[in-house]
Amino acid sequence: MSLRLEPRLKPSRAAVFLSPLGAVAATLIVGAVVFTLLGYDGLGAVRQIFLAPLTSVHRWQDLLVKAAPLAIIALGLSIGFRANVWNIGAEGQYVVGGLAGTGIALATLDLTGFWILPAMILAGLAGGMAYAAIPALLRVKLGVSEILSSLMLNYVAIQLLYYLMRGPWRDPMGFGFPQSALFSLDQTLPIVVPRTLIHLGIPLALALALLVWFVMARTIAGFQVRLLGLSPHAARYGGFRENRVVFLCLAIGGAFAGLAGILEAAGPFGQMVPSFPTGYGFTAIIVAFLGRLQPVGIVLASLVLALTYVGGESAQTMIGLPAAAIGVFQAMLLFFLLASDILIRYRPRWHARAAA
Amino acid sequence: MSPEFAVAVVFAVVMSATPILIAALGELVVEKSGVLNLGVEGMMLIGAVTGFIVTVSTGSPWLGALAALVCGAAVSLIFGYLTLSLTANQVATGLALTIFGTGVSALLGASFVGMTTSTLGAVFPRALSADPIWRVLFGYSPLVYFSFFLTFAVWYFLKHTRGGLILRAVGENDASAHSIGYPVLRVRYLAVLFGGAMAGLAGSFYSLVLTPMWAERLTSGRGWIAIALVVFAAWRPGRLLVGAYLFGAVITLELQAKAAGWSGLAPEFLTSLPYLMTILVLALISGRKLSARTAAPACLGKPFRATA
């Protein structure tokens, strides 16, 4: 007997929804085995990372706070991914968005007014979008692969952050630490549920998911994006301006990442610090895939990946699991997801071995 | 400029160019077979950490380099299995491999941070390698001489051997290659393994020759520059050599300017230079006219599954 894969006549809808669940399950099992082999408490690691955060009310708040930026970035990326536009630069766009908003905050430190926070958020959006416009223009005007250019810009953005923190934007009252001044009350995100950590960014992420769902499923623009991804030839034949769709996909991805950046700076951080880049830009790629590039899926997937951050932190203190373990779990999750996706198009069948 | 200083500059350029060249030659072969593996950075990090660990444990940098090569190839098999056997998306799988390599290398290397070890230094007799002038010819790690040999070997293989012809056929038109009986998947598996081995070896250059030590993310994005170089070189080994040395020169400029305490430019700007230059170079070459000889392999990045 041998296992063979036979093409399906139509993609399996069951596999589309079940493969993310299978990938999560496989990651838990293989993760426990691998970390045990490496000499850690493997089962304990899985329990700390994936179950412990779910059992306490306080950790639930943490989970939502970590999930919001992941969901926002992934929503933006998913639009591009559906059109085969590979924006790998969300991390840089997130940083530049945060920096742009911080620029407004530092300029208005002595002022008060309800308009300051919206101005910061707009600056964050614009900053991320402008940073994404660089690879977008290079792709549209010159045909430069957005994969490489957007990725290179991540490294540049982080250096820009270091430069501003050590130099022009360093807080003179910061006891020599390279960090910006603390944001004022008018510059920080309001808490929407009193006496919790739930800030404005969380309902905003949900609203954006709804907006993206509406645009992608119900508008011509969304149809163009989907068609470009499924069949570029048909899209061109249909008279769509491919370049415009590509540019918009990157710009929207950048705007979302920039928004997530300023929401983090004005929310949990309350200032700009050199440790601002947290890898959300890369993790959001996994979120987008695990969520099947669909808004509802992305919201759920962002909670799963937020677990690895929240649980990963407690696993560090509780069982001494290194921080790098989080990345290993995240990569395994993506590996298993991509592997199980073959079941969407192929059906496994047992064959009697043909007589030689 | 004194001859000693000129030698030091050339030496530094060669040292910074070598790992990028080795990794890029591996990726060039992979792409020529029609596969886009964006996991170079991850495979380099795996090579860097395993090379270091094996060298610390055995005392032999040669064994370390060998281990880096083997481990680089081993992790490339994950990519190969997912993209070739299971036809997973190559861009996403390559990214996953880089995230994986970054995490695994940090995990494995956690207890080795800050250690030092014997290095894979000069191979020629001390009298030659230590001389301030002759150093420019004889003072390098064996991996440097290997990188020149590898450039020639990859060029010769692709251009003048039957195996190279089959590899290019598979990359240009997998369906036709399959129909005349070439084993498309086997060729691609071998190419991916070779790319992984070279990326791993290139990674070990950082931890065994350049630094030599282990720190998280030791390769600092050079794997991505190697991928960009393949595009810059229009998939030709000779141009890859030129490109790698161009980058070696920029990285040397960065290090020299920092060492000299140049106050005109912020050190953060200097660190950004190689990445900015990669973007600039990609933009400059994009306008050129593509011929059959300088265009990307036609099947690059597309999954292949035999229908019959």
Side-chain angles (χ1 to χ4, degrees):
Chain A
M1 296 283 274
S2 70
L3 192 63
R4 291 242 196 93
L5 292 168
E6 285 180 353
R8 294 181 195 269
L9 291 176
K10 10 186 226 201
S12 157
R13 280 187 71 77
V16 170
F17 294 111
L18 289 177
S19 71
L21 296 177
V24 173
T27 305
L28 299 184
I29 296 166
V30 177
V33 173
V34 167
F35 280 88
T36 306
L37 291 178
L38 285 173
Y40 298 98
D41 174 7
L43 262 179
V46 166
R47 208 177 314 121
Q48 277 298 325
I49 294 181
F50 291 94
L51 291 177
L54 298 173
T55 55
S56 106
V57 179
H58 185 76
R59 297 260 190 78
W60 261 103
Q61 299 173 21
D62 252 350
L63 212 55
L64 295 177
V65 170
K66 291 276 195 306
L70 287 174
I72 293 173
I73 301 171
L75 283 166
L77 293 181
S78 70
I79 298 173
F81 289 170
R82 287 178 103 177
N84 270 328
V85 174
W86 294 95
N87 179 5
I88 315 295
E91 184 78 3
Q93 292 144 21
Y94 165 87
V95 169
V96 171
L99 286 174
T102 303
I104 301 284
L106 295 181
T108 58
L109 265 185
D110 305 325
L111 304 175
T112 53
F114 69 91
W115 55 271
I116 294 178
L117 189 64
M120 284 166 61
I121 290 176
L122 280 180
L125 276 166
M129 192 190 282
Y131 208 56
I134 302 170
L137 279 174
L138 288 171
R139 158 86 194 259
V140 170
K141 297 284 177 204
L142 298 170
V144 176
S145 157
E146 74 280 8
I147 299 177
L148 291 170
S149 59
S150 66
L151 190 112
M152 293 292 150
L153 287 171
N154 288 334
Y155 292 96
V156 178
I158 290 170
Q159 292 303 318
L160 178 68
L161 167 72
Y162 290 167
Y163 168 72
L164 289 172
M165 289 300 105
R166 287 176 196 153
W169 286 6
R170 177 192 218 139
D171 181 11
M173 318 287 274
F175 305 103
F177 287 111
Q179 57 190 22
S180 81
L182 280 173
F183 293 174
S184 72
L185 202 58
D186 279 347
Q187 296 171 334
T188 36
L189 280 188
I191 296 290
V192 287
V193 181
R195 286 185 301 278
T196 68
L197 303 168
I198 314 291
H199 59 70
L200 188 63
I202 290 151
L204 209 54
L206 290 172
L208 284 172
L210 199 66
L211 178 73
V212 169
W213 169 81
F214 179 79
V215 170
M216 293 302 286
R218 292 280 182 270
T219 67
I220 301 279
F223 174 67
Q224 291 190 348
V225 167
R226 284 183 288 143
L227 187 64
L228 190 64
L230 292 172
S231 170
H233 289 299
R236 266 169 240 142
Y237 188 73
F240 296 166
R241 279 190 260 165
E242 184 187 357
N243 276 348
R244 198 165 63 175
V245 178
V246 168
F247 187 92
L248 278 175
C249 282
L250 279 159
I252 292 170
F256 276 49
L259 174 67
I262 185 56
L263 291 179
E264 282 296 285
F269 282 87
Q271 68 182 138
M272 185 51 77
V273 292
S275 62
F276 188 67
T278 32
Y280 286 159
F282 293 102
T283 307
I285 297 172
I286 303 176
V287 171
F289 277 104
L290 189 66
R292 289 274 156 252
L293 308 182
Q294 304 288 341
V296 178
I298 286 173
V299 169
L300 294 175
S302 69
L303 289 167
V304 175
L305 269 298
L307 271 178
T308 62
Y309 281 103
V310 177
E313 269 170 28
S314 69
Q316 278 176 54
T317 49
M318 303 289 281
I319 59 171
L321 198 72
I326 301 170
V328 179
F329 271 109
Q330 293 181 347
M332 274 202 286
L333 188 57
L334 186 50
F335 278 145
F336 283 120
L337 181 75
L338 292 165
S340 58
D341 271 359
I342 194 165
L343 298 175
I344 296 171
R345 282 165 296 130
Y346 294 90
R347 187 196 311 277
R349 271 276 169 81
W350 290 100
H351 281 258
R353 206 176 283 280
Chain B
M1 189 158 71
S2 72
E4 281 85 1
F5 183 71
V7 166
V9 168
V10 173
F11 194 83
V13 171
V14 173
M15 293 296 266
S16 347
T18 298
I20 304 178
L21 178 61
I22 295 176
L25 283 166
E27 178 70 9
L28 183 133
V29 171
V30 177
E31 294 195 14
K32 271 286 182 189
S33 81
V35 179
L36 180 66
N37 185 353
L38 295 181
V40 178
E41 177 80 1
M43 299 187 292
M44 279 173 80
L45 283 167
I46 296 272
V49 78
T50 51
F52 190 77
I53 291 174
V54 168
T55 305
V56 168
S57 319
T58 65
S60 161
W62 286 95
L63 276 180
L66 182 70
L69 186 131
V70 170
C71 291
V75 286
S76 79
L77 266 186
I78 303 176
F79 174 86
Y81 183 69
L82 288 175
T83 59
L84 300 175
S85 295
L86 300 182
T87 62
N89 182 304
Q90 293 180 9
V91 174
T93 311
L95 282 171
L97 186 58
T98 288
I99 299 173
F100 184 72
T102 310
V104 168
S105 62
L107 201 59
L108 291 176
S111 48
F112 291 85
V113 173
M115 280 191 196
T116 53
T117 178
S118 44
T119 69
L120 198 55
V123 269
F124 284 101
R126 200 157 182 80
L128 283 171
S129 60
D131 183 274
I133 304 296
W134 283 110
R135 197 167 153 247
V136 75
L137 284 179
F138 300 111
Y140 303 105
S141 158
L143 288 179
V144 170
Y145 305 105
F146 172 75
S147 73
F148 296 129
F149 163 75
L150 186 68
T151 311
F152 174 78
V154 167
W155 169 79
Y156 188 84
F157 171 75
L158 289 174
K159 190 111 183 170
H160 293 291
T161 67
R162 188 178 148 72
L165 185 72
I166 295 175
L167 182 99
R168 285 186 287 139
V170 163
E172 290 297 339
N173 194 332
D174 47 20
S176 305
H178 175 71
S179 66
I180 54 174
Y182 292 147
V184 173
L185 288 188
R186 199 189 313 158
V187 169
R188 288 186 172 168
Y189 260 112
L190 288 174
V192 165
L193 272 175
F194 176 75
M198 289 308 109
L201 187 66
S204 75
F205 196 85
Y206 287 95
S207 58
L208 297 182
V209 183
L210 267 180
T211 336
M213 55 156 210
W214 167 252
E216 267 186 45
R217 294 169 195 253
L218 186 65
T219 54
S220 59
R222 303 292 190 241
W224 293 101
I225 290 179
I227 297 171
L229 263 187
V230 178
V231 182
F232 163 74
W235 294 269
R236 285 144 79 186
R239 280 184 59 166
L240 202 58
L241 183 78
V242 177
Y245 276 79
L246 203 62
F247 271 93
V250 174
I251 294 166
T252 303
L253 177 75
E254 171 204 333
L255 298 176
Q256 291 285 333
K258 272 186 191 160
W262 239 11
S263 54
L265 287 168
E268 291 86 359
F269 176 76
L270 291 169
T271 309
S272 308
L273 263 185
Y275 311 108
L276 288 171
M277 189 172 110
T278 308
I279 298 172
L280 185 72
V281 162
L282 288 174
L284 286 178
I285 57 159
S286 59
R288 72 181 166 202
K289 259 172 75 183
L290 294 174
S291 71
R293 282 183 62 234
T294 55
C299 291
L300 187 60
K302 293 185 189 138
F304 172 77
R305 203 165 175 92
T307 43

